[in-house]
Amino acid sequence: MKSFATKTELMPHQVAAVEKVLPSRVGALFMEMGTGKSRTAIELARLRLQKIDKAIWFCPVSLKETVRQEILKHTDAGDADICVFNDRTDSGNVQVVSWYVVGIESMSASSRVVLTVNSLVTDKTLVILDESSYIKGHHSLRTLRITEICKRARYRLVLTGTPISQGVVDLFAQMRFLSPKILGYTSFYSFAANHLEYSDKFPGMIVRSHNVPYLASKIQPYVYQVTKAECLNLPEKLYETRYLAMTDKQRYYYERAKDDILGDVEEFDSVTIFRLFTALQGIVCGYWNRRITRGVYEYLEIEHERIDTLMTAIADIDPAEKVIIWCKYQYDIKGISHAIASRHGEDSLALLYGALTEKARARQIQKFRSEARFFLATQSCGGHGLTLNEASNAIFYNNAFKYSERLQAEDRCHRIGQSKPVTYIDIHCSFSIDDRIADALAEKGSLVRSFKREVDKVKGSKRKLRDLIKAL
């Protein structure tokens, strides 16, 4: 690997992380969002310069440009020494450089990328797996491919701020990637037999974990863990909520959606619950993609006041301050962007959502960091890895169903470099699914899981199930 120097100093907790992980060839940085995982990983690469031939940095596709910028920010490496995989990169034309940045999702979607990565990995390679929770599914194709190919790499590192968002089951694939010797299990089934208890009624549902202290003792030598509260003196988080009510038309469709789904299913499982919650959340945001029959849908736009409430909240923010707006659906992007462009001009707005190409996403992020005041993004696309501390105001137009996803989005602007208190504003429709979502987030849990537990309690009683659904 080409020699490089770093341009930024390590913070004390990053020094401690390096000291903990460096003696072992494999390690995990379980560092909360905003504590500088990338800088720590770069330091570990610098200290191993004489032992490694290259670094391959796996990350979510949406973060490839962010990783490139982090390398440029913290080192004197130039663009010519960084290869970011794109739709033309293959084993025949891949450049010989020190840093390779690869999208995790591409390892299941593109044989071309898999073959190229396979041609690059040697026993002297450092492999960095960023947002390693993306491989927590032990049987997924990308998990199996990345794990198998990277066995040859002598040095392996995982980075994440949420290592066990769904419980200790998430540890298995991440530790197996580092080394099966850490946990001592060669298969997931032996791991599950010793540590997971499954429901007798519902196959695949984990109801309890066992021998957790044993797992903690096994991973302890290889893991450095720290939270922002422990290592940073960041400004406080401030929260406020802007409330609205459903229109009569929304309330009509809201109740109708519950009746439709109740009458359409025999078994009220997690898939059905998710379908119901998605329909209800869509309705309180102004649309319903209603299923008529299997494979046939009717798209309805419904009058609502959510965007008006959002625009009122924006009007109360100092015009000189930048604002992040988080939403869940591309339908939201369309309505919000039209409202903001009409009032503030198209140049004031940067957009980030799934349909954009990688180059377009990079341009939009740069637009926000330079001239745009508003950054409008879906949580699924922008909620991981980005540093957006140019803004100290974030509005949640609607929310994901999991606390871990909300926390990821919050911490895009509450991280190293933020000098102001960060204000989070929730747009909340009273007497609706928004109430349930807010309760689940307050309990740091999952809406679907918590509601599934309530459903299980009334199993066998159609009347009680109907009452439970009607109360939503």
Side-chain angles (χ1 to χ4, degrees):
M1 187 175 190
K2 183 180 176 182
S3 180
F4 66 87
T6 53
K7 299 189 293 188
T8 55
E9 294 295 323
L10 291 178
M11 300 179 74
H13 68 279
Q14 294 169 325
V15 172
V18 170
E19 291 175 349
K20 174 68 182 291
V21 172
L22 186 62
S24 175
R25 295 198 304 269
V26 301
L29 300 177
F30 290 166
M31 299 169 65
E32 198 171 58
M33 294 162 288
T35 56
K37 296 185 292 293
S38 298
R39 175 65 181 89
T40 308
I42 288 169
E43 186 68 14
L44 289 166
R46 187 186 69 81
L47 293 173
R48 290 170 172 155
L49 275 172
Q50 305 307 314
K51 300 178 180 180
I52 61 178
D53 57 4
K54 66 181 75 69
I56 298 178
W57 198 314
F58 291 99
C59 65
V61 167
S62 61
L63 298 185
K64 290 193 296 185
E65 175 60 17
T66 299
V67 169
R68 186 183 76 87
Q69 292 290 347
E70 286 291 297
I71 296 169
L72 295 173
K73 172 184 175 182
H74 295 297
T75 77
D76 61 359
D79 271 324
D81 209 31
I82 306 171
C83 173
V84 179
F85 274 44
N86 57 37
D87 56 6
R88 297 182 301 277
T89 308
D90 62 39
S91 54
N93 65 22
V94 67
Q95 309 161 44
V96 178
V97 296
S98 294
W99 300 91
Y100 296 88
V101 184
V102 184
I104 292 174
E105 300 95 321
S106 301
M107 293 297 289
S108 58
S110 171
S111 298
R112 170 183 52 80
V113 171
V114 173
L115 291 171
T116 307
V117 171
N118 188 53
S119 72
L120 292 172
V121 176
T122 72
D123 61 343
K124 293 183 178 181
T125 300
L126 165 65
V127 176
I128 301 168
L129 184 57
D130 204 345
E131 298 295 347
S132 58
S133 57
Y134 270 58
I135 67 153
K136 64 188 177 185
H138 67 95
H139 61 282
S140 72
L141 187 57
R142 66 190 181 202
T143 299
L144 295 173
R145 284 176 168 176
I146 291 173
T147 302
E148 183 62 30
I149 290 173
C150 294
K151 280 181 180 178
R152 299 197 301 273
R154 188 172 177 82
Y155 300 97
R156 299 190 286 277
L157 183 67
V158 299
L159 319 178
T160 184
T162 53
I164 51 172
S165 60
Q166 299 187 74
V168 297
V169 64
D170 293 349
L171 281 177
F172 176 77
Q174 296 177 77
M175 292 300 112
R176 182 180 62 179
F177 166 80
L178 293 178
S179 172
K181 295 178 181 179
I182 294 177
L183 294 181
Y185 299 111
T186 57
S187 73
F188 176 77
Y189 304 101
S190 54
F191 169 82
N194 284 280
H195 300 286
L196 304 178
E197 182 179 336
Y198 288 87
S199 168
D200 293 330
K201 291 184 178 180
F202 307 104
M205 178 184 289
I206 299 169
V207 296
R208 198 169 291 108
S209 299
H210 297 288
N211 304 320
V212 176
Y214 171 81
L215 292 175
S217 67
K218 295 291 284 185
I219 70 173
Q220 191 277 332
Y222 307 95
V223 171
Y224 177 81
Q225 188 164 11
V226 73
T227 65
K228 287 191 295 186
E230 292 170 335
C231 67
L232 299 177
N233 186 26
L234 286 173
E236 63 181 324
K237 290 182 175 182
L238 306 173
Y239 296 90
E240 63 177 89
T241 304
R242 300 297 180 97
Y243 293 96
L244 69 147
M246 274 191 257
T247 64
D248 291 342
K249 186 74 77 173
Q250 280 179 296
R251 180 59 66 183
Y252 167 77
Y253 283 120
Y254 192 86
E255 298 303 324
R256 184 170 175 178
K258 291 189 282 188
D259 288 337
D260 281 6
I261 292 176
L262 265 172
D264 190 39
V265 296
E266 294 294 328
E267 181 68 23
F268 216 79
D269 55 14
S270 295
V271 173
T272 304
I273 293 171
F274 186 83
R275 177 184 155 206
L276 171 64
F277 286 171
T278 299
L280 297 183
Q281 188 179 43
I283 291 167
V284 300
C285 292
Y287 79 100
W288 183 17
N289 196 23
R290 182 188 177 205
R291 188 168 80 165
I292 306 301
T293 59
R294 184 182 295 273
V296 179
Y297 290 83
E298 177 187 21
Y299 184 81
L300 301 171
E301 290 193 358
I302 310 166
E303 61 184 38
H304 65 101
E305 298 174 358
R306 203 174 190 99
I307 289 180
D308 291 339
T309 306
L310 168 70
M311 297 307 291
T312 300
I314 288 173
D316 290 339
I317 298 172
D318 185 336
E321 294 191 2
K322 289 179 180 283
V323 181
I324 299 168
I325 304 167
W326 294 112
C327 61
K328 192 170 179 182
Y329 306 106
Q330 289 195 29
Y331 170 85
D332 304 325
I333 293 281
K334 177 183 176 182
I336 297 169
S337 62
H338 176 74
I340 291 177
S342 297
R343 189 169 301 182
H344 300 276
E346 291 187 5
D347 290 342
S348 70
L349 181 63
L351 301 173
L352 192 68
Y353 56 98
L356 296 181
T357 65
E358 291 178 38
K359 288 183 178 179
R361 294 182 191 188
R363 286 195 298 269
Q364 292 296 311
I365 293 169
Q366 184 55 42
K367 180 181 179 183
F368 175 66
R369 289 174 175 158
S370 52
E371 72 269 20
R373 182 189 176 201
F374 300 100
F375 186 77
L376 173 59
T378 56
Q379 288 190 45
S380 60
C381 188
H384 288 263
L386 289 176
T387 296
L388 301 171
N389 52 26
E390 294 87 354
S392 59
N393 297 277
I395 301 175
F396 285 84
Y397 184 75
N398 43 32
N399 271 289
F401 296 154
K402 293 181 181 178
Y403 172 75
S404 59
E405 295 179 19
R406 165 68 184 234
L407 188 61
Q408 283 275 359
E410 280 192 13
D411 284 348
R412 294 312 96 212
C413 55
H414 193 253
R415 55 203 300 117
I416 295 171
Q418 182 57 263
S419 58
K420 301 178 181 178
V422 181
T423 300
Y424 300 98
I425 301 172
D426 282 277
I427 308 299
H428 185 115
C429 184
S430 300
F431 305 107
S432 77
I433 190 67
D434 282 357
D435 296 332
R436 279 277 185 168
I437 296 171
D439 289 344
L441 297 181
E443 295 170 2
K444 301 183 178 181
S446 163
L447 175 64
V448 174
R449 281 188 176 186
S450 63
F451 192 74
K452 183 68 168 64
R453 288 193 291 268
E454 293 184 45
V455 169
D456 292 342
K457 290 178 183 178
V458 299
K459 279 285 184 182
S461 173
K462 195 116 183 180
R463 180 184 62 79
K464 289 182 178 180
L465 177 60
R466 177 171 290 275
D467 289 344
L468 187 62
I469 302 303
K470 282 295 186 181
L472 286 171

